[in-house]
Amino acid sequence: MSTIPAAAPAAVMQAFNQPIAVRDYPLPRDLKPGEWLVEVELAGMCGTDVHLHRGELKIPLPVILGHETVGRVAAMGGGATQTDWLGNACRVGDRVSFTVGRTCGTCRYCRVYRLPSRCQNRKAYGVTTPCDAPPHFLGGYAKYHFLHGDTAVFRLPDDLPSETLVGAGCALVTAVHGFEKLPMMWGESVVVQGAGPVGLAAVAVAKEAGANPLIVIGGPRDRLERCKRFGADIVIDIADVPDPAARRKIVLDHTHGLGADYVVECVGIPAAVSEGWELCRDGAKYLVLGQYCDNGPTPLNPHLIVRKELTIAGSYGSQPQHWTAAIELLRTRRERYPFHELITHRFGLSQVNESLAAVARWETGKAVIVP
Amino acid sequence: MSTIPAAAPAAVMQAFNQPIAVRDYPLPRDLKPGEWLVEVELAGMCGTDVHLHRGELKIPLPVILGHETVGRVAAMGGGATQTDWLGNACRVGDRVSFTVGRTCGTCRYCRVYRLPSRCQNRKAYGVTTPCDAPPHFLGGYAKYHFLHGDTAVFRLPDDLPSETLVGAGCALVTAVHGFEKLPMMWGESVVVQGAGPVGLAAVAVAKEAGANPLIVIGGPRDRLERCKRFGADIVIDIADVPDPAARRKIVLDHTHGLGADYVVECVGIPAAVSEGWELCRDGAKYLVLGQYCDNGPTPLNPHLIVRKELTIAGSYGSQPQHWTAAIELLRTRRERYPFHELITHRFGLSQVNESLAAVARWETGKAVIVP
Amino acid sequence: MSTIPAAAPAAVMQAFNQPIAVRDYPLPRDLKPGEWLVEVELAGMCGTDVHLHRGELKIPLPVILGHETVGRVAAMGGGATQTDWLGNACRVGDRVSFTVGRTCGTCRYCRVYRLPSRCQNRKAYGVTTPCDAPPHFLGGYAKYHFLHGDTAVFRLPDDLPSETLVGAGCALVTAVHGFEKLPMMWGESVVVQGAGPVGLAAVAVAKEAGANPLIVIGGPRDRLERCKRFGADIVIDIADVPDPAARRKIVLDHTHGLGADYVVECVGIPAAVSEGWELCRDGAKYLVLGQYCDNGPTPLNPHLIVRKELTIAGSYGSQPQHWTAAIELLRTRRERYPFHELITHRFGLSQVNESLAAVARWETGKAVIVP
Amino acid sequence: MSTIPAAAPAAVMQAFNQPIAVRDYPLPRDLKPGEWLVEVELAGMCGTDVHLHRGELKIPLPVILGHETVGRVAAMGGGATQTDWLGNACRVGDRVSFTVGRTCGTCRYCRVYRLPSRCQNRKAYGVTTPCDAPPHFLGGYAKYHFLHGDTAVFRLPDDLPSETLVGAGCALVTAVHGFEKLPMMWGESVVVQGAGPVGLAAVAVAKEAGANPLIVIGGPRDRLERCKRFGADIVIDIADVPDPAARRKIVLDHTHGLGADYVVECVGIPAAVSEGWELCRDGAKYLVLGQYCDNGPTPLNPHLIVRKELTIAGSYGSQPQHWTAAIELLRTRRERYPFHELITHRFGLSQVNESLAAVARWETGKAVIVP
C-alpha cells in the first residue's frame, strides 16, 4: 500500500447523457473513527449505471458512479486495527468490499419493522451521493473510495478473488434477499425469467437451494449457456421461441402440465410479470426481483391471484446479512458458480464512457473499471 | 320430518337473464351409502347468484342456484346413523350444512399439493351442477337438496342458529381461507377494502385475530355501521371521501404515516388492487379476496411490489377445514359478530326473481330463500 | 420537574440474602448526547428480583435491583429535545420507560442473526449492572435512573398510565416476544400453564390473537380469577385438581379429546414441560416462556416430539419492537386487559426488603417501589 | 409376468425372538377395484425390523415383516388399467412401490389437521398387519404383497432402479418429511447427528437444500465415508472423538464459535438430544428424526430452549407426497446421492434370519430380501 496522495482522480458524471470526464479531487484527511479510505481495485459496472447515465432516475449531480467495488484499505480512522461488519480485524492493505446502501438505524423501518432495505434515510454510494463537496470519493469509478462510519464493510477472505465478487455484483445479494423473502423449498420446480446478471444470480441461488428442474427463459444464447453452466436444466431462448404461449407450453411439459412451483422475475420489463403468472401452477410462489426501476403500470389480472392462489413477493436491494451469505456462497462454491467468468471487459478510469457504451450494447458479460 | 314425497319443487334457471320458474322434479330414491337428501330450511342468496343469472360465468344450464344452504336430513343412504365430515353421528332430522365444492381427492392438487380448493375436477353445487338429469336437486333454491357421497357435510351444533350460518354465508369461509393463506399477526394495522359480505367477514376474522387498528373503506353507510358493530375502529365512506388520495391520507394518519401492515381486498373491482397497494406500508401483506370473478386486467405497477417489498396472496373459495373454523367462530362469538342480523329479506321459492332483483339493487343485508 | 440534586438515594444490594439498605450516590453530571437521567416514578418488582436477592444468578454486586421502571426525564445530554426509540420528540418532564437489555449492535447475533435478545455483550439494568462506580444509578430501586446512549427509551402516551405499564411489567414483552417466535393462529385452542405474571401476560396476548378456547392451569384462585377477567374461558386450579392426569382429562374434554393446538409454558419449574407436552394434540405448538432461570435438567421424552410431531420454541427476554407492540396493546385495550389492577402493594425505597418478602410469599398481585 | 399361482411362500414371524420360517399362504383371488397384487422384487430390511423381531414394539402376531418393498404388478381389481397415486396409468407387469402407512382419510388428523401421518386409524404394512387371515400377504418378506384400496401406490419411472429406491428405504421419506416440517434455508450450517440410514438420508436432503457446511457426527468409519460421498463437508467419528465436549468444539470451529444453524438428530438414543442442543447456536433449529421408538425419558434442560431461543420439531414417518419428492430426488440425482450403493447384502426368503442377524451386527450397508 503506497502512501496516500493529496489528490486522486475520479470519473465524474456532471450531466446526464454527456461524456463522463476524469478529474482530480483532494483526498479526505483526518479520518474519524469508523471512517475508511479504500484504494479501488475493481469497480463493477451494473446495468443500472447505464440507466443512471441516461437520467432515468433523477439523482443529484455531479456523481461518481459505481456501486460494486472491491479495494484495499488505504487508511482508517480510529487506529491501526478496526473491525469489519462481522467483527473481523482489518488493517491497512486488507482487501474489502462494502454494501452501497447506508441506513440510519433509527427510522421505523430500521427499528420496528427490521426492514433496513427500506430505511427512510437510505443513501446509496455511486447513486444518491453527490461528489461536489468533501469527501468527494463516494462512488466506485475513482482511484479511492471514502466510507462513512455507517457503512457495512466486509474484509474479503483470501480464497475469494475480487473478480468473483465483482462478477456476481449487486445481482447476487439482490437474489439472496429475494429468496429469503419468499423461501423456496428444495425439489420445487423453478422458472427464472431473464438471463441477465440478476437472472444468473437467481439461477445460482435456486440451484443451491435445490431447484428441480430449473428452467430459464431469456437470451441471448451465450447468457443461456452460462445459465446452463451454473446449473439450469432447461433453457428457453426467446429468440427461438418468441411466442409466450409456446414458452408456456415448454414449461408445462416439464411441470406435470400445470406450471412451476416457483417463478422468479428477473427481466425488468413490466409485461414479464403477466407472462410469469401464467407460468405458475395454482398455489405457486412468484418472486419479483427485476422491477427495481419504475417502468410504470402494466395490465395485470388480479383474478389470477385468486384463482391460482398465488403468493407474490418482492424485495428491494439488499441488507448486510445478504452480503454475508453471498460471500460465503462465492467462497465455497466458486467452481459450481464461476461468477468470475462473467468479467469479459476491463476498462481504465478514462474509459468509463466506452464501458457504458459496451454495457448498453449488451456486448459484455460483466465490464469492470480498473482505476 | 315428514315423509319424503315423490317429487318436489325447485327454482330452475333455464336461461341467463330470463325469469326463473319453479317446477317439480322427482326426488331421488334408493340412496347409496354416503348419499344424503336434505330438506332445505334456508338458502342464502349470494352476490355471485346475480352474476350467474346475468350469464357472466358460462355455467351449464339448466341449474338450480343456491350455494349457501342449511337444512334437515330427510334421508341417508347406508343406514340410520351416518357421520358428518367431522365424525359426528347424524340422523334423519338433524340440521346440517355442507361445502358447495366437491373435490375428487385424486388429482395432483388434491394429493400432492394439498390444495383441494383447486381440485382439477371440482364441482360446485348451485353453480356447475346442471339439474336436468337425476338426481336433479343440486342447488339450494329447492325444497330438497341431494348430496353426493363426496360432500363435506357438517351437523350444526344446537347453539348455532341457521340464520347465523347463512348470514355469514360463503363470505366467511372465504375470509377464513384467505387469512390462513396469508397469516396476520395480532396487533397489526389492517385495512379492509370493501364493506360487502366478504368485507364484513374479513372484519370479523381480522378483529378476532387482533387487528389494531382495523380500518374499513367502503359503503354504503349502513354497511359501514355494521362493520363498526363487528369491531372496525375506523370506517371511511367512499361516498364521503371519493378521492383515493384522500382516503389514503386517512389511512396514513392512523398508521404512522407509512401505511397499513396488512390490507385485504374485498371489493371485486380490479382497480381496487391498485388503490390497495398504495395503502400498504413497505413490507406489508396484501390479501386478494374479492377478485373471485374474472373482470380482466387492470393497470398495476409491479415496481411497487419490489420497492415496497410487498407480499401478496390470494385464495380461492374454501376447503372443508375452513368450515370447521367458521362454525366454531360463529358458535362461540355470536354476540361479537352477529351475522344473523344481516338477514333482512326472506323470500319464498316462487320469489327467487324478486330476491335476485333486490340483491342486485344492494337493498338487502342478506336475502334468503325459504322454500 | 425539580432541580436535580447533587446526590440521591438508591436501594443497594451489597450481598445476596442480606437486607438491602438505602444509600446516597452522587448523580451523574455533564450527560453526553444520548445519555438521559430519569426521575423514577414507579419501579415494578418482578419475581426475578427475589431470585436475584437469593443469589440464584451469580450477578456482580453491589447492584441496584429493578428492571421495570417508569419515570420522568430529568435531564438529557445533547440538547433540550431528544428523540425516543420510535423517533418521538422527548423533553425534560416527559414520562418514559425503557428496555432493560442494552445490546451492542455489532456482534453476530445483533447483526447477522438479527437476534438482539441474544446479543453477546448484553447488559441488563438492574441485573448485570453493578453500581459501585459512576454513573451508579443503573437499576430501578432508586430516586433516579441513568440511561446509556444505547438504551431503547419510549416516551409514554398520555393515555397509558404508568400503573398499566408497570403492572404488565417485563412479563408482557416476554409474552409478546414468545408469540412472535411461535405464531398462534386465531381460533386455535390454547392452554396456558401458569397463572403468574407471565401466564397472565400470555393470556392477554393469546386472547388478543383469538385463542378459542383459552384454558389456564395454575393457581392460586385469585390469580385464576384474574385470568378469567382477562379472557380465559376455562381455568383449572392445581389445588383443586392436583393430579396431572386429571388436569389433562379436562383439557382433552375441551379439545376434541386430542389435546390443545397450542400450549404455553409459564411456570418456570422444569417438570411443567413434561406435563405440557402431554396437553398437546399431535401436530401442536409448544412455547416455553417460563424457563428463564436455569433450574437444571428434567426427565423429558424426546420420542414424544417425533410421535406427536410437535413444534417447540422458546424466546429469551424481549427486543425493543416487542415494547412497541406491548405499549400499543396496553394503550388501546386497557379495559379488556386491566393490568393496572395487578398493582396491589406500594412500598417506599426504604421498604424494598418488605416488598421482596411479600413477593416471595406470593401475597402480591404486583408490588411496586415508589422512590 | 407369470401366471399367479394358487399359493405362495412368505416369511412369517410367529413369535418374538424366535426364528422366522417360510410357509405358504393361499393368494387372494377376485380382487376388488383398487386392490392390487404385487410380485415382490426387492424388500429392504430396516433397523426397525430388528426391533420388531425383538418384540420392542408390541405388534400383533403372526406378521410378515418388510415395509420397504418394490415389485411388479401381478393383478389388479377393477380392470386392466388402473392409476397410481399420482394418476399414472398402471398395468400388470409395471414396477411399483407404495407407502406402508394406510390412513383412514376421515379422522380429525386426516381431515381437519391435514396430518395423515398421525391418522388415528393408521395401519402399517409389515408392522401392524397380522397375516393369519386373508389376504395374508401384508408384508414385504414374501413372494407377493397384497395392497388394499387405500394404499398410495407409485409406478416407478424406468430411470429409477429398484435398488436406488430400496437403498434409500423408509429413511429417505422420513428425512423428506422432517425437512418439510422444519424448513432449512440454503447456506445454513447443518449438523447431522448419526450416520445410519436416517442420517445418510438427512445428509442427502440437507445437501440438496444447500447446507453449508454440512457436518456429520457418527460412525463407523465406512458410514462416515459414505456421508462424505453424499456431500458431507466434515465428518466427526465418535470412535475418534468420544468426548461430546470435544465434538462440540469441532462443530464450533466450523460455525463461527457459536454452533450450527440447524441440527438434525438421527441417532435414536434419547441422550443424543441433549448433546444436540449444545451444538445449536442461539436461535437455531433442531429437528428430531431418530426418536421413532419410545426409549423413555432422558434428562433435558428446558432452560436451554429459552436461553438459546431454539425451535425444535419432530415428524413421524411420512405421508404420500414425501414419496413423490423422494422418487423425484432419487431419479434425478442418482449420481449425486448413490443410494443404490448401500445395498451390500442380498438374501433369499429362507434367509430372513441371517439377514436380521447381519443387520443387528451393523455389518450391512443395506440388506435386502429377494424372494
Side-chain angles (χ1 to χ4, degrees), chain A residues 167-168 172 199-208 214 223-233 330 333-342:
Chain A
L172 181 57
L200 185 69
V203 166
V205 174
K207 187 70 179 183
E208 188 65 17
L214 176 49
R223 290 191 165 185
L224 293 172
E225 285 307 313
R226 196 177 289 122
C227 288
K228 288 188 89 163
R229 202 153 64 251
F230 275 59
D233 297 298
L330 292 172
R333 299 280 188 270
R334 202 143 46 92
E335 295 181 16
R336 200 174 187 191
Y337 314 114
F339 279 102
H340 55 277
E341 291 182 7
L342 270 77

Side-chain angles (χ1 to χ4, degrees), chain D residues 1-285:
Chain D
M1 186 62 36
S2 53
T3 316
I4 301 169
V12 178
M13 180 166 84
Q14 298 279 1
F16 300 121
N17 291 306
Q18 299 298 318
I20 289 172
V22 175
R23 57 157 291 182
D24 274 18
Y25 281 119
L27 277 165
R29 310 203 153 270
D30 304 321
L31 301 181
K32 288 197 283 271
E35 296 179 346
W36 302 38
L37 191 66
V38 172
E39 187 172 357
V40 177
E41 180 187 333
L42 285 180
M45 183 164 283
C46 169
T48 300
D49 289 320
V50 175
H51 295 286
L52 292 173
H53 185 238
R54 288 177 181 158
E56 295 177 7
L57 280 82
K58 294 305 165 202
I59 56 171
L61 298 181
V63 73
I64 302 168
L65 295 175
H67 57 269
E68 302 175 330
T69 307
V70 170
R72 287 189 183 271
V73 179
M76 295 186 295
T81 303
Q82 299 292 314
T83 54
D84 75 354
W85 194 76
L86 289 166
N88 298 310
C90 284
R91 290 183 190 78
V92 167
D94 282 347
R95 206 160 39 97
V96 295
S97 188
F98 45 86
T99 60
V100 294
R102 297 165 46 211
T103 55
C104 70
T106 63
C107 72
R108 198 167 177 97
Y109 283 112
C110 282
R111 284 187 161 158
V112 181
Y113 303 137
R114 312 222 286 181
L115 195 65
S117 44
R118 298 305 305 146
C119 166
Q120 294 179 278
N121 305 299
R122 192 173 178 274
K123 297 279 181 226
Y125 289 125
V127 183
T128 54
T129 49
C131 64
D132 43 352
H136 303 295
F137 291 86
L138 299 171
Y141 303 161
K143 190 72 181 169
Y144 287 89
H145 199 301
F146 174 83
L147 299 179
H148 287 283
D150 53 8
T151 309
V153 182
F154 296 87
R155 193 190 73 196
L156 299 185
D158 291 342
D159 52 355
L160 173 57
S162 303
E163 282 76 8
T164 304
L165 189 68
V166 175
C170 65
L172 181 58
V173 285
T174 297
V176 169
H177 187 189
F179 280 83
E180 179 190 87
K181 178 76 187 273
L182 189 64
M184 197 203 97
M185 211 182 88
W186 74 270
E188 289 190 321
S189 55
V190 174
V191 172
V192 176
Q193 297 181 273
V198 176
L200 186 69
V203 166
V205 174
K207 188 70 181 183
E208 188 65 16
N212 188 2
L214 176 49
I215 304 169
V216 179
I217 301 176
R221 179 155 305 281
D222 63 320
R223 290 188 165 187
L224 293 173
E225 285 308 313
R226 195 178 289 121
C227 287
K228 289 187 86 163
R229 201 154 64 251
F230 275 58
D233 297 297
I234 299 132
V235 297
I236 304 172
D237 191 329
I238 55 174
D240 296 342
V241 193
D243 175 23
R247 297 196 285 259
R248 178 166 185 267
K249 168 128 194 356
I250 298 172
V251 169
L252 295 194
D253 286 347
H254 291 92
T255 53
H256 311 284
L258 300 172
D261 298 322
Y262 194 108
V263 178
V264 198
E265 185 278 325
C266 306
V267 175
I269 300 166
V273 174
S274 180
E275 177 174 347
W277 289 2
E278 296 291 347
L279 304 176
C280 291
R281 71 160 171 89
D282 292 1
K285 287 166 276 188

Side-chain angles (χ1 to χ4, degrees), chain C residues 73-348:
Chain C
V73 179
M76 296 186 296
T81 303
Q82 298 293 315
T83 53
D84 74 355
W85 193 76
L86 288 167
N88 298 310
C90 285
R91 292 183 189 77
V92 165
D94 281 349
R95 206 159 39 97
V96 295
S97 189
F98 46 88
T99 61
V100 294
R102 297 163 48 209
T103 55
C104 71
T106 63
C107 71
R108 200 168 174 95
Y109 283 113
C110 282
R111 284 188 162 158
V112 181
Y113 304 136
R114 313 223 283 184
L115 195 65
S117 45
R118 296 306 304 147
C119 168
Q120 294 179 277
N121 305 298
R122 192 172 179 275
K123 297 279 181 224
Y125 289 125
V127 182
T128 54
T129 51
C131 65
D132 44 353
H136 303 296
F137 291 86
L138 299 172
Y141 303 161
K143 188 73 183 169
Y144 287 89
H145 199 301
F146 174 83
L147 299 178
H148 287 282
D150 54 8
T151 308
V153 182
F154 296 87
R155 194 189 73 195
L156 300 185
D158 292 342
D159 52 355
L160 173 57
S162 303
E163 281 77 7
T164 303
L165 189 67
V166 176
C170 65
L172 181 57
V173 284
T174 297
V176 168
H177 187 188
F179 281 84
E180 179 190 85
K181 178 77 188 272
L182 189 64
M184 196 201 98
M185 213 183 86
W186 74 269
E188 288 190 322
S189 55
V190 174
V191 172
V192 177
Q193 298 180 273
V198 176
L200 186 69
V203 166
V205 174
K207 188 70 181 183
E208 188 65 15
N212 187 4
L214 176 49
I215 304 170
V216 180
I217 301 176
R221 179 156 306 284
D222 62 322
R223 289 189 165 186
L224 293 172
E225 286 305 315
R226 195 178 290 122
C227 288
K228 290 188 86 164
R229 201 152 65 250
F230 275 59
D233 296 298
I234 299 131
V235 297
I236 304 172
D237 192 329
I238 54 174
D240 296 343
V241 192
D243 175 23
R247 297 196 285 259
R248 178 166 185 267
K249 170 136 193 348
I250 298 172
V251 169
L252 295 195
D253 286 347
H254 290 92
T255 54
H256 311 285
L258 299 173
D261 298 321
Y262 194 108
V263 178
V264 199
E265 184 278 325
C266 306
V267 174
I269 300 166
V273 174
S274 181
E275 176 173 349
W277 290 1
E278 297 290 348
L279 304 175
C280 290
R281 70 160 170 89
D282 292 0
K285 288 167 275 187
Y286 189 77
L287 177 63
V288 187
L289 280 189
Q291 309 288 332
Y292 184 83
C293 291
D294 186 353
N295 290 309
T298 188
L300 290 170
N301 189 347
H303 167 66
L304 291 180
I305 303 174
V306 169
R307 200 188 68 212
K308 302 191 86 162
E309 299 204 22
L310 299 179
T311 301
I312 300 165
S315 60
Y316 185 83
S318 65
Q319 299 169 5
Q321 77 274 19
H322 305 130
W323 276 70
T324 308
I327 286 173
E328 196 61 13
L329 178 71
L330 292 171
R331 189 181 73 76
T332 56
R333 299 280 189 270
R334 204 143 45 92
E335 294 181 16
R336 200 173 186 193
Y337 313 115
F339 279 101
H340 56 275
E341 291 182 7
L342 270 77
I343 299 182
T344 51
H345 291 66
R346 289 168 181 261
F347 294 96

Side-chain angles (χ1 to χ4, degrees), chain A residues 61 132 148-149 163 206 267 280 296 307 316 323:
Chain A
L61 299 181
D132 45 352
H148 287 283
E163 282 75 8
V267 175
C280 291
R307 198 188 70 212
Y316 186 82
W323 277 70

Side-chain angles (χ1 to χ4, degrees), chain A:
Chain A
M1 186 60 38
S2 53
T3 317
I4 300 169
V12 179
M13 180 166 83
Q14 297 280 0
F16 299 122
N17 290 307
Q18 298 299 318
I20 289 172
V22 176
R23 55 155 294 180
D24 273 19
Y25 281 119
L27 278 165
R29 310 203 154 271
D30 304 321
L31 301 181
K32 290 197 280 270
E35 297 178 346
W36 302 37
L37 192 65
V38 171
E39 187 172 355
V40 176
E41 181 187 332
L42 285 181
M45 184 165 282
C46 169
T48 299
D49 289 320
V50 175
H51 295 286
L52 292 173
H53 186 237
R54 288 177 181 159
E56 294 177 7
L57 280 83
K58 295 304 166 202
I59 57 171
L61 299 181
V63 72
I64 303 167
L65 294 175
H67 58 268
E68 302 176 331
T69 308
V70 169
R72 287 189 183 272
V73 179
M76 296 186 296
T81 304
Q82 299 293 315
T83 54
D84 75 354
W85 193 76
L86 288 166
N88 298 310
C90 284
R91 290 183 190 77
V92 166
D94 281 348
R95 207 160 38 96
V96 296
S97 189
F98 46 87
T99 60
V100 295
R102 298 162 49 209
T103 55
C104 70
T106 63
C107 72
R108 199 168 175 96
Y109 283 112
C110 282
R111 283 187 161 158
V112 180
Y113 304 136
R114 313 222 285 184
L115 194 65
S117 45
R118 297 306 305 146
C119 167
Q120 294 178 278
N121 305 297
R122 193 173 178 274
K123 297 279 180 227
Y125 290 125
V127 183
T128 54
T129 50
C131 65
D132 45 352
H136 304 295
F137 291 86
L138 300 172
Y141 302 162
K143 189 73 184 168
Y144 287 89
H145 200 301
F146 174 82
L147 300 178
H148 287 283
D150 53 7
T151 309
V153 182
F154 296 88
R155 195 189 73 197
L156 299 185
D158 291 342
D159 51 355
L160 173 57
S162 303
E163 282 75 8
T164 304
L165 190 67
V166 175
C170 65
L172 181 57
V173 284
T174 296
V176 169
H177 187 188
F179 281 82
E180 179 191 87
K181 178 77 189 273
L182 188 65
M184 196 202 97
M185 212 182 87
W186 75 269
E188 288 189 322
S189 55
V190 174
V191 172
V192 177
Q193 298 180 273
V198 176
L200 185 69
V203 166
V205 174
K207 187 70 179 183
E208 188 65 17
N212 189 1
L214 176 49
I215 303 169
V216 179
I217 301 177
R221 179 158 305 284
D222 63 321
R223 290 191 165 185
L224 293 172
E225 285 307 313
R226 196 177 289 122
C227 288
K228 288 188 89 163
R229 202 153 64 251
F230 275 59
D233 297 298
I234 298 132
V235 296
I236 304 172
D237 192 328
I238 53 173
D240 296 343
V241 193
D243 175 23
R247 296 196 286 260
R248 179 167 185 267
K249 166 127 194 356
I250 299 173
V251 170
L252 295 194
D253 285 347
H254 291 92
T255 54
H256 310 286
L258 299 173
D261 298 321
Y262 194 109
V263 179
V264 198
E265 184 278 324
C266 306
V267 175
I269 299 166
V273 175
S274 180
E275 177 173 349
W277 290 2
E278 296 291 347
L279 305 174
C280 291
R281 72 159 169 90
D282 292 0
K285 287 167 276 188
Y286 188 77
L287 176 63
V288 188
L289 280 188
Q291 309 288 332
Y292 184 82
C293 290
D294 185 352
N295 290 309
T298 189
L300 290 171
N301 188 346
H303 167 65
L304 290 179
I305 304 174
V306 168
R307 198 188 70 212
K308 301 191 84 161
E309 300 204 20
L310 299 179
T311 301
I312 300 165
S315 59
Y316 186 82
S318 66
Q319 299 168 6
Q321 78 273 17
H322 305 130
W323 277 70
T324 308
I327 286 173
E328 196 62 12
L329 178 70
L330 292 172
R331 190 181 72 78
T332 56
R333 299 280 188 270
R334 202 143 46 92
E335 295 181 16
R336 200 174 187 191
Y337 314 114
F339 279 102
H340 55 277
E341 291 182 7
L342 270 77
I343 299 182
T344 52
H345 292 64
R346 288 168 183 261
F347 295 96
L349 202 51
S350 61
Q351 296 170 299
V352 166
N353 298 298
E354 288 87 326
S355 183
L356 282 168
V359 171
R361 287 191 304 264
W362 285 32
E363 289 173 8
T364 59
K366 181 91 185 181
V368 295
I369 305 298
V370 187

